[in-house]
Structures are given as structure tokens and as C-alpha cells.
């Protein structure tokens, strides 16, 4: 059975996952980094949304 590795810093994590309170990360620091990346990705998606992708506004109703 090959040892687990931290997905953030690639540190080998021998033993059982139960030994790691921050599993699947090796430490609280890596957990925080992962969370930060995830949040940054979310923000980037929102900010990068081109205006063309927004649904067009309905035409103004000029009839009376
Ligand atoms: Zn790590």
C-alpha cells in the first residue's frame, strides 16, 4: 500500500488517514491553502464572466 500524499505540498503521509486530523491534507496549513485556492477559483469565475454571457434584457414595452 503506497503512502498517501498531501494534495497541496505532496508530502508523504505514512500511516492511516485517521492519524491526520486534517486529512486529506497533511496539516491545517495545507487545508487552509486548499480552501483559499477554492475560494479564489470561485471569485475568478465570477469576475471573468463576460458580459456577453448575460441574458439580454427584455425589450422595453413601448406599447400603451
Ligand atoms: Zn501538505
Amino acid at each position: 500500500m503506497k503512502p498517501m500524499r498531501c494534495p497541496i505540498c505532496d508530502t508523504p503521509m505514512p500511516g492511516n488517514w485517521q492519524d491526520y486530523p486534517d486529512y486529506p491534507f497533511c496539516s491545517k496549513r495545507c487545508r487552509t491553502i486548499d480552501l483559499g485556492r477554492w475560494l479564489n477559483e470561485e471569485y475568478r469565475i465570477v469576475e471573468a464572466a463576460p458580459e456577453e454571457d448575460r441574458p439580454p434584457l427584455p425589450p422595453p414595452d413601448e406599447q400603451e
Side-chain angles (χ1 to χ4, degrees):
M1 189 172 152
K2 57 182 181 178
M4 302 174 293
R5 282 179 178 271
C6 173
I8 299 299
C9 65
D10 208 34
T11 295
M13 299 164 63
N16 297 317
W17 66 267
Q18 291 96 331
D19 296 334
Y20 297 89
D22 294 299
Y23 178 86
F25 309 105
C26 71
S27 64
K28 197 178 188 100
R29 179 175 154 271
C30 285
R31 178 188 285 279
T32 303
I33 291 172
D34 183 75
L35 180 65
R37 283 185 184 176
W38 192 83
L39 291 175
N40 286 337
E41 191 79 8
E42 286 284 296
Y43 287 133
R44 192 156 56 236
I45 289 171
V46 171
E47 289 177 0
E51 293 191 6
E52 289 82 7
D53 280 358
R54 284 196 293 200
L57 293 171
D61 188 356
E62 294 180 356
Q63 295 176 356
E64 299 199 8

